[in-house]
Amino acid sequence: MSLDVRAKTAVPAQRTSQDRLDQRELRRRERRFQHRDKWWGYALIAPAGLGLAVFYLWPVVQTVYYSFTEWGAFGGTSWIGLSNYRTLVSDPEFWQSLGNTGIYTGLVLLGIPLSMVLAVLLNLKGLTGTGIYRTFYFLPVVTMPAAVAVVWRWLYNGDAGILNHALSSIGINGTYWVSDPHTIRFAVAVVGVWMTVGYNMILLLAGLQSIPGDYYEAASLDGAGRIRQFFSVTLPLLSPTLFFTTVLSVIQSLQVFDLVYLILGANTTGALQNPAYSEGQTVVMLFFQKAFFDNQRGYGAAIVCVLFVLIMAMTAIQFRLQKRWVHYA
């Protein structure tokens, strides 16, 4: 009798011990697989990481370093500390270009409401030719800025431009839009809005189409009209997309260069012949002028470092403020 009891208790004990060994072996294999998968993951992202480090991070580090140096006439650099930044603070040309960039950014942001209106119109049910309208509005986005600048310079031409010809037909004498210091900022901003309105419209249209129709049905049952539905349903649910387009527009506007540079009539001497050049010059154009025409590359590096910090600060402020007006469903 006692031998049977020992046999019955010994078998479960052996099974428990075997189960523990199996679990340890299972965990050991799992850790080994995880370790191997981790290295496979590092190996797969290594090419992209290497490209990011070589073509993005290292140039950033170099630019920050060069902003504290002065370049010689025949190459070579010498460490001058914060001298470039002191010069930058007291340089009226920098503040003028920064103000021009800020005005351009503000005016381009006015194109976002226009993009939203177009997106709402294209989102209406029963509208025919939607694909044609989308293509028409998106064409400026895929057009080269150089081609856009050439076309708009022709439209803005003070002597033979279409714009002045149309104004003269109603008794208004047009001006030289891209060489008049009073009109250059607005002339350039109109082109900037024209180029970005299609891209923002596509983003907002995608945001509109992601809003469930149940919300509008519930609003209709509560007696809300189209306008009330827009402000109570559409606008809050579209706010994440609006926030995204705003952040992108601010960053792109602060970095604007080629479009303005070419509209101002750039040439190998830096487009200084245009009497409205200083009123249209942006921060990136000032960097280009100092770094590649005046050979002040250390000073140019300081300019782009300040612009980088400004963009980071503006983006951080927008992310901080978005908590007050962006609604995530």
Side-chain angles (χ1 to χ4, degrees):
M1 184 67 180
S2 60
L3 291 176
D4 295 338
V5 173
R6 289 177 186 173
K8 291 180 179 177
T9 55
V11 172
Q14 291 176 354
R15 289 179 179 173
T16 304
S17 177
Q18 186 61 36
D19 291 342
R20 288 176 179 173
L21 291 175
D22 292 342
Q23 290 177 357
R24 289 177 185 174
E25 180 63 21
L26 185 62
R27 286 196 294 269
R28 189 176 65 81
R29 290 182 180 180
E30 187 177 355
R31 285 197 296 271
R32 188 173 61 192
F33 286 139
Q34 289 178 349
H35 186 71
R36 190 177 62 181
D37 290 345
K38 180 179 68 176
W39 286 109
W40 268 111
Y42 288 144
L44 290 174
I45 66 172
L50 184 62
L52 180 68
V54 172
F55 296 109
Y56 289 91
L57 297 181
W58 179 241
V60 171
V61 173
Q62 278 190 314
T63 303
V64 173
Y65 170 74
Y66 289 144
S67 69
F68 297 100
T69 64
E70 183 180 22
W71 285 63
F74 300 100
T77 59
S78 57
W79 182 268
I80 57 172
L82 296 174
S83 179
N84 286 327
Y85 291 96
R86 294 193 192 97
T87 305
L88 188 68
V89 172
S90 59
D91 186 359
E93 192 176 11
F94 168 73
W95 294 109
Q96 173 79 40
S97 61
L98 185 62
N100 296 336
T101 307
I103 293 173
Y104 175 82
T105 303
L107 292 175
V108 169
L109 286 177
L110 295 178
I112 293 181
L114 176 61
S115 300
M116 187 169 63
V117 171
L118 293 174
V120 171
L121 292 175
L122 289 179
N123 196 42
L124 292 176
K125 293 182 179 179
L127 182 67
T128 57
T130 306
I132 297 175
Y133 291 126
R134 290 177 186 174
T135 305
F136 177 75
Y137 286 116
F138 199 74
L139 274 179
V141 182
V142 296
T143 306
M144 293 294 293
V148 172
V150 170
V151 171
W152 277 91
R153 275 181 61 82
W154 176 62
L155 294 174
Y156 281 141
N157 189 283
D159 295 321
I162 292 179
L163 179 59
N164 280 355
H165 179 72
L167 291 176
S168 64
S169 64
I170 57 175
I172 299 176
N173 293 323
T175 182
Y176 291 89
W177 299 95
V178 296
S179 58
D180 188 338
H182 299 96
T183 59
I184 180 60
R185 298 190 184 97
F186 299 99
V188 171
V190 167
V191 183
V193 171
W194 182 77
M195 285 193 69
T196 58
V197 69
Y199 179 72
N200 292 334
M201 182 201 70
I202 293 297
L203 293 177
L204 294 170
L205 184 60
L208 285 171
Q209 293 178 348
S210 66
I211 299 175
D214 299 341
Y215 291 100
Y216 294 104
E217 292 180 7
S220 299
L221 292 175
D222 290 338
R226 288 291 184 91
I227 297 177
R228 182 62 183 276
Q229 289 180 19
F230 176 78
F231 286 101
S232 300
V233 178
T234 304
L235 203 55
L237 295 178
L238 196 61
S239 56
T241 310
L242 282 170
F243 170 66
F244 179 71
T245 55
T246 303
V247 171
L248 282 186
S249 297
V250 169
I251 293 175
Q252 292 172 354
S253 299
L254 291 175
Q255 295 177 328
V256 66
F257 167 67
D258 47 3
L259 178 67
V260 183
Y261 191 73
L262 293 171
I263 285 180
L264 284 172
N267 54 33
T268 55
T269 60
L272 294 176
Q273 292 85 359
N274 192 327
Y277 184 81
S278 59
E279 283 74 14
Q281 182 177 239
T282 63
V283 175
V284 181
M285 288 173 60
L286 179 63
F287 151 74
F288 188 70
Q289 178 71 35
K290 296 297 182 183
F292 298 102
F293 286 102
D294 300 342
N295 198 30
Q296 300 177 14
R297 300 192 178 183
Y299 186 60
I303 292 174
V304 293
C305 285
V306 170
L307 178 62
F308 175 74
V309 172
L310 178 63
I311 291 174
M312 294 291 290
M314 292 289 292
T315 305
I317 291 173
Q318 289 180 84
F319 271 88
R320 184 73 177 177
L321 295 178
Q322 59 98 16
K323 298 178 181 177
R324 300 183 179 181
W325 66 277
V326 178
H327 305 276
Y328 295 98

